[in-house]
Coordinates of all heavy atoms in Angstrom, one line a residue:
I933 N 32.0 -174.8 -80.4 CA 31.2 -175.0 -79.2 C 32.0 -174.6 -78.0 O 33.1 -175.0 -77.8 CB 30.8 -176.5 -79.1 CG1 30.2 -177.0 -80.4 CG2 29.8 -176.7 -77.9 CD1 29.0 -176.2 -81.0
T934 N 31.4 -173.8 -77.2 CA 32.1 -173.2 -76.0 C 31.2 -173.1 -74.8 O 30.1 -173.7 -74.8 CB 32.8 -171.9 -76.5 OG1 33.5 -171.3 -75.3 CG2 31.9 -170.9 -77.1
G935 N 31.6 -172.3 -73.8 CA 30.8 -172.1 -72.7 C 31.1 -170.9 -71.9 O 31.6 -169.9 -72.5
G936 N 31.1 -170.9 -70.6 CA 31.2 -172.0 -69.6 C 32.1 -173.1 -70.2 O 32.8 -173.0 -71.2
E937 N 32.1 -174.2 -69.5 CA 32.8 -175.3 -69.9 C 31.8 -176.3 -70.7 O 31.0 -176.9 -70.1 CB 33.5 -176.1 -68.8 CG 34.2 -177.4 -69.1 CD 35.1 -177.2 -70.4 OE1 35.8 -176.3 -70.6 OE2 35.0 -178.2 -71.2
P938 N 32.0 -176.3 -72.0 CA 31.0 -177.1 -72.8 C 30.9 -178.6 -72.4 O 29.8 -179.2 -72.5 CB 31.5 -176.9 -74.3 CG 32.9 -176.5 -74.2 CD 33.0 -175.7 -72.9
L939 N 32.1 -179.1 -72.0 CA 32.1 -180.6 -71.8 C 31.5 -181.0 -70.4 O 31.5 -182.2 -70.1 CB 33.5 -181.2 -72.0 CG 34.0 -180.9 -73.4 CD1 35.4 -181.6 -73.6 CD2 33.1 -181.5 -74.5
V940 N 31.1 -180.0 -69.6 CA 30.4 -180.4 -68.4 C 28.9 -180.3 -68.6 O 28.1 -180.7 -67.7 CB 30.8 -179.5 -67.1 CG1 32.2 -179.6 -66.9 CG2 30.3 -178.0 -67.3
R941 N 28.4 -179.9 -69.7 CA 26.9 -179.9 -69.9 C 26.5 -181.4 -70.1 O 27.0 -182.1 -70.9 CB 26.5 -179.1 -71.1 CG 25.1 -179.3 -71.5 CD 24.3 -178.1 -71.7 NE 22.9 -178.5 -71.8 CZ 21.9 -177.7 -72.4 NH1 22.2 -176.6 -72.9 NH2 20.7 -178.2 -72.4
R942 N 25.5 -181.8 -69.3 CA 25.0 -183.2 -69.4 C 24.5 -183.5 -70.7 O 23.7 -182.8 -71.3 CB 23.9 -183.3 -68.3 CG 23.6 -184.8 -68.1 CD 22.5 -184.9 -67.1 NE 22.9 -184.1 -65.9 CZ 22.7 -184.5 -64.6 NH1 22.2 -185.7 -64.4 NH2 23.1 -183.7 -63.6
G943 N 24.9 -184.6 -71.3 CA 24.4 -185.1 -72.6 C 25.0 -184.4 -73.8 O 24.5 -184.5 -74.9
I944 N 26.0 -183.6 -73.6 CA 26.5 -182.8 -74.6 C 27.0 -183.6 -75.9 O 26.9 -183.1 -77.0 CB 27.7 -181.8 -74.2 CG1 27.9 -180.7 -75.2 CG2 29.0 -182.6 -73.8 CD1 26.8 -179.8 -75.4
M945 N 27.4 -184.8 -75.6 CA 27.8 -185.6 -76.8 C 26.6 -185.9 -77.8 O 26.9 -186.1 -78.9 CB 28.5 -186.9 -76.3 CG 29.8 -186.7 -75.8 SD 30.9 -186.0 -77.1 CE 31.8 -184.8 -76.0
T946 N 25.4 -185.9 -77.2 CA 24.2 -186.0 -78.1 C 24.2 -184.9 -79.1 O 23.9 -185.1 -80.3 CB 23.0 -186.0 -77.3 OG1 23.1 -186.8 -76.1 CG2 21.7 -186.4 -78.0
F947 N 24.6 -183.7 -78.6 CA 24.6 -182.5 -79.5 C 25.7 -182.6 -80.5 O 25.5 -182.3 -81.7 CB 24.7 -181.3 -78.6 CG 24.9 -180.0 -79.4 CD1 23.8 -179.5 -80.1 CD2 26.1 -179.3 -79.4 CE1 24.0 -178.3 -80.9 CE2 26.2 -178.2 -80.2 CZ 25.2 -177.7 -80.9
F948 N 26.9 -183.0 -80.1 CA 28.0 -183.2 -81.0 C 27.6 -184.2 -82.1 O 27.9 -184.0 -83.3 CB 29.3 -183.6 -80.3 CG 30.0 -182.4 -79.8 CD1 29.9 -182.1 -78.4 CD2 30.9 -181.6 -80.6 CE1 30.6 -181.0 -77.9 CE2 31.6 -180.5 -80.0 CZ 31.4 -180.2 -78.7
R949 N 27.0 -185.3 -81.6 CA 26.6 -186.3 -82.6 C 25.6 -185.8 -83.6 O 25.7 -186.0 -84.8 CB 26.0 -187.5 -81.8 CG 25.6 -188.7 -82.6 CD 26.8 -189.4 -83.2 NE 27.7 -190.0 -82.2 CZ 28.9 -190.5 -82.6 NH1 29.3 -190.5 -83.8 NH2 29.7 -191.0 -81.6
A950 N 24.7 -185.0 -83.1 CA 23.7 -184.4 -84.0 C 24.3 -183.4 -85.0 O 24.0 -183.5 -86.2 CB 22.6 -183.6 -83.2
M951 N 25.3 -182.6 -84.6 CA 25.9 -181.7 -85.5 C 26.8 -182.4 -86.5 O 27.0 -181.9 -87.6 CB 26.8 -180.7 -84.7 CG 26.0 -179.7 -83.9 SD 24.9 -178.7 -84.9 CE 23.3 -179.5 -84.5
S952 N 27.2 -183.6 -86.2 CA 28.1 -184.4 -87.1 C 27.4 -184.7 -88.4 O 28.0 -184.9 -89.4 CB 28.7 -185.6 -86.5 OG 27.7 -186.6 -86.3
R953 N 26.0 -184.7 -88.4 CA 25.3 -185.0 -89.6 C 25.5 -183.9 -90.6 O 25.5 -184.1 -91.8 CB 23.8 -185.2 -89.3 CG 23.0 -184.0 -89.0 CD 21.5 -184.3 -88.8 NE 20.7 -183.2 -88.6 CZ 20.5 -182.5 -87.4 NH1 21.2 -182.9 -86.3 NH2 19.7 -181.5 -87.3
H954 N 25.8 -182.6 -90.2 CA 26.0 -181.5 -91.1 C 27.4 -181.6 -91.7 O 27.7 -181.1 -92.8 CB 25.8 -180.2 -90.4 CG 24.4 -180.0 -89.9 ND1 23.3 -180.1 -90.7 CD2 24.0 -179.7 -88.6 CE1 22.2 -179.9 -90.0 NE2 22.6 -179.6 -88.7
L955 N 28.3 -182.2 -90.9 CA 29.7 -182.5 -91.5 C 29.5 -183.5 -92.6 O 30.1 -183.4 -93.7 CB 30.6 -183.0 -90.4 CG 31.1 -182.0 -89.4 CD1 31.9 -182.7 -88.3 CD2 32.0 -180.9 -90.0
E956 N 28.8 -184.6 -92.3 CA 28.6 -185.6 -93.3 C 28.0 -185.2 -94.5 O 28.3 -185.6 -95.6 CB 27.8 -186.8 -92.6 CG 28.7 -187.7 -91.7 CD 27.9 -188.5 -90.7 OE1 26.7 -188.7 -91.0 OE2 28.5 -188.8 -89.7
S957 N 27.0 -184.2 -94.4 CA 26.3 -183.7 -95.6 C 27.2 -182.7 -96.4 O 26.8 -182.4 -97.5 CB 25.0 -183.0 -95.2 OG 25.3 -181.7 -94.7
G958 N 28.2 -182.2 -95.7 CA 29.1 -181.3 -96.4 C 28.7 -179.8 -96.2 O 29.3 -178.9 -96.6
A959 N 27.5 -179.6 -95.5 CA 27.1 -178.3 -95.2 C 28.0 -177.5 -94.2 O 28.2 -176.3 -94.4 CB 25.6 -178.3 -94.7
L960 N 28.5 -178.3 -93.3 CA 29.4 -177.8 -92.3 C 30.8 -178.2 -92.6 O 31.0 -179.4 -92.9 CB 28.9 -178.3 -90.9 CG 29.5 -177.6 -89.6 CD1 29.0 -176.2 -89.6 CD2 28.9 -178.4 -88.4
R961 N 31.7 -177.2 -92.6 CA 33.1 -177.6 -92.9 C 33.9 -177.9 -91.6 O 34.8 -178.7 -91.7 CB 33.8 -176.4 -93.6 CG 33.5 -176.3 -95.1 CD 34.7 -175.8 -95.8 NE 35.3 -174.7 -95.1 CZ 35.4 -173.5 -95.5 NH1 35.0 -173.2 -96.7 NH2 36.0 -172.5 -94.8
E962 N 33.5 -177.3 -90.5 CA 34.3 -177.6 -89.3 C 33.4 -177.5 -88.1 O 32.6 -176.6 -87.9 CB 35.4 -176.6 -89.2 CG 36.3 -177.0 -88.0 CD 37.6 -176.2 -88.0 OE1 37.7 -175.1 -88.5 OE2 38.6 -176.8 -87.4
L963 N 33.6 -178.5 -87.2 CA 32.9 -178.5 -85.9 C 34.1 -178.6 -84.9 O 34.9 -179.5 -85.0 CB 32.1 -179.8 -85.8 CG 31.4 -180.1 -84.5 CD1 30.4 -179.0 -84.1 CD2 30.6 -181.4 -84.6
T964 N 34.1 -177.6 -84.0 CA 35.2 -177.6 -83.1 C 34.8 -177.1 -81.7 O 33.6 -176.8 -81.5 CB 36.3 -176.7 -83.7 OG1 37.4 -176.7 -82.8 CG2 35.8 -175.3 -84.0
V965 N 35.7 -177.2 -80.8 CA 35.3 -176.9 -79.4 C 36.4 -176.1 -78.7 O 37.6 -176.3 -79.0 CB 34.9 -178.2 -78.7 CG1 36.0 -179.2 -78.7 CG2 34.5 -178.0 -77.2
T966 N 36.1 -175.3 -77.8 CA 37.0 -174.6 -76.9 C 36.7 -175.1 -75.5 O 35.6 -175.0 -75.0 CB 36.9 -173.1 -77.0 OG1 37.2 -172.6 -78.3 CG2 37.9 -172.4 -76.0
T967 N 37.8 -175.7 -74.8 CA 37.5 -176.3 -73.6 C 38.7 -176.0 -72.6 O 39.8 -175.7 -73.0 CB 37.4 -177.9 -73.8 OG1 37.4 -178.5 -72.5 CG2 38.6 -178.4 -74.6
N968 N 38.4 -176.2 -71.3 CA 39.5 -176.1 -70.3 C 40.2 -177.4 -70.2 O 41.2 -177.5 -69.5 CB 38.9 -175.6 -69.0 CG 38.0 -176.6 -68.3 OD1 38.0 -177.8 -68.6 ND2 37.2 -176.1 -67.4
G969 N 39.8 -178.4 -70.9 CA 40.5 -179.7 -71.0 C 40.2 -180.7 -69.9 O 40.7 -181.8 -70.0
S970 N 39.5 -180.3 -68.9 CA 39.3 -181.2 -67.7 C 38.6 -182.5 -68.0 O 38.8 -183.5 -67.4 CB 38.6 -180.4 -66.6 OG 37.2 -180.2 -66.9
Q971 N 37.7 -182.4 -69.0 CA 36.9 -183.6 -69.3 C 37.4 -184.4 -70.6 O 36.7 -185.3 -71.1 CB 35.4 -183.2 -69.5 CG 34.8 -182.4 -68.4 CD 35.0 -183.1 -67.1 OE1 34.6 -184.3 -66.9 NE2 35.4 -182.4 -66.0
L972 N 38.5 -184.0 -71.1 CA 38.9 -184.6 -72.4 C 39.3 -186.1 -72.3 O 39.1 -186.8 -73.3 CB 40.1 -183.8 -73.0 CG 39.8 -182.5 -73.6 CD1 41.0 -181.7 -74.0 CD2 38.9 -182.7 -74.9
R973 N 39.8 -186.5 -71.2 CA 40.0 -188.0 -71.0 C 38.8 -188.8 -71.3 O 38.8 -189.8 -71.9 CB 40.7 -188.2 -69.6 CG 40.9 -189.7 -69.3 CD 41.8 -190.5 -70.2 NE 43.2 -190.1 -70.3 CZ 44.0 -190.5 -71.2 NH1 43.7 -191.4 -72.1 NH2 45.3 -190.1 -71.2
R974 N 37.6 -188.2 -70.8 CA 36.3 -188.9 -71.0 C 35.8 -188.8 -72.4 O 35.2 -189.7 -73.0 CB 35.3 -188.2 -70.1 CG 35.0 -189.0 -68.9 CD 34.2 -188.1 -67.9 NE 32.8 -188.1 -68.2 CZ 31.9 -187.1 -67.8 NH1 32.4 -186.1 -67.1 NH2 30.7 -187.2 -68.0
F975 N 36.0 -187.6 -73.1 CA 35.3 -187.4 -74.3 C 36.1 -187.3 -75.6 O 35.5 -187.2 -76.7 CB 34.5 -186.0 -74.1 CG 33.4 -186.1 -73.1 CD1 33.3 -185.2 -72.1 CD2 32.4 -187.2 -73.2 CE1 32.2 -185.3 -71.2 CE2 31.4 -187.3 -72.2 CZ 31.3 -186.3 -71.2
A976 N 37.4 -187.3 -75.5 CA 38.2 -187.0 -76.7 C 37.9 -188.0 -77.8 O 37.7 -187.5 -79.0 CB 39.7 -187.0 -76.4
A977 N 37.8 -189.2 -77.5 CA 37.6 -190.2 -78.6 C 36.3 -190.0 -79.3 O 36.1 -190.1 -80.5 CB 37.7 -191.6 -78.0
E978 N 35.3 -189.7 -78.4 CA 33.9 -189.5 -79.0 C 33.9 -188.3 -79.8 O 33.2 -188.2 -80.9 CB 32.9 -189.5 -77.9 CG 31.5 -190.0 -78.3 CD 30.5 -190.1 -77.2 OE1 31.0 -190.2 -76.0 OE2 29.3 -190.0 -77.5
L979 N 34.5 -187.2 -79.4 CA 34.6 -186.0 -80.2 C 35.2 -186.3 -81.6 O 34.7 -185.9 -82.6 CB 35.4 -184.9 -79.5 CG 34.8 -184.2 -78.3 CD1 35.8 -183.3 -77.6 CD2 33.6 -183.4 -78.7
A980 N 36.3 -187.0 -81.6 CA 36.9 -187.4 -82.8 C 36.0 -188.2 -83.7 O 35.9 -187.9 -84.9 CB 38.2 -188.1 -82.6
D981 N 35.2 -189.1 -83.1 CA 34.3 -189.9 -83.8 C 33.2 -189.1 -84.4 O 32.6 -189.4 -85.4 CB 33.8 -191.0 -82.8 CG 33.1 -192.1 -83.6 OD1 33.7 -192.6 -84.6 OD2 31.9 -192.4 -83.3
C982 N 32.9 -187.9 -83.8 CA 31.8 -187.0 -84.3 C 32.3 -186.1 -85.4 O 31.6 -185.2 -85.8 CB 31.2 -186.2 -83.1 SG 30.2 -187.2 -82.0
G983 N 33.6 -186.2 -85.7 CA 34.1 -185.4 -86.8 C 34.9 -184.2 -86.4 O 35.3 -183.4 -87.2
V984 N 35.0 -184.0 -85.1 CA 35.9 -182.9 -84.6 C 37.3 -183.3 -84.9 O 37.8 -184.4 -84.7 CB 35.7 -182.7 -83.1 CG1 36.6 -181.7 -82.5 CG2 34.2 -182.4 -82.7

Side-chain angles (χ1 to χ4, degrees):
I933 310 308
T934 174
E937 174 46 42
L939 300 183
V940 302
R941 171 131 190 202
R942 193 180 309 224
I944 194 62
M945 283 303 138
T946 313
F947 174 71
F948 277 97
R949 185 64 67 192
M951 290 303 102
S952 72
R953 75 181 185 275
H954 299 306
L955 287 171
E956 280 158 22
S957 78
L960 196 59
R961 279 216 316 245
E962 188 169 25
L963 175 62
T964 180
V965 57
T966 298
T967 172
N968 65 23
S970 70
Q971 307 302 313
L972 282 173
R973 174 57 67 190
R974 258 167 86 201
F975 292 130
E978 207 174 339
L979 285 171
D981 196 50
C982 289
V984 175

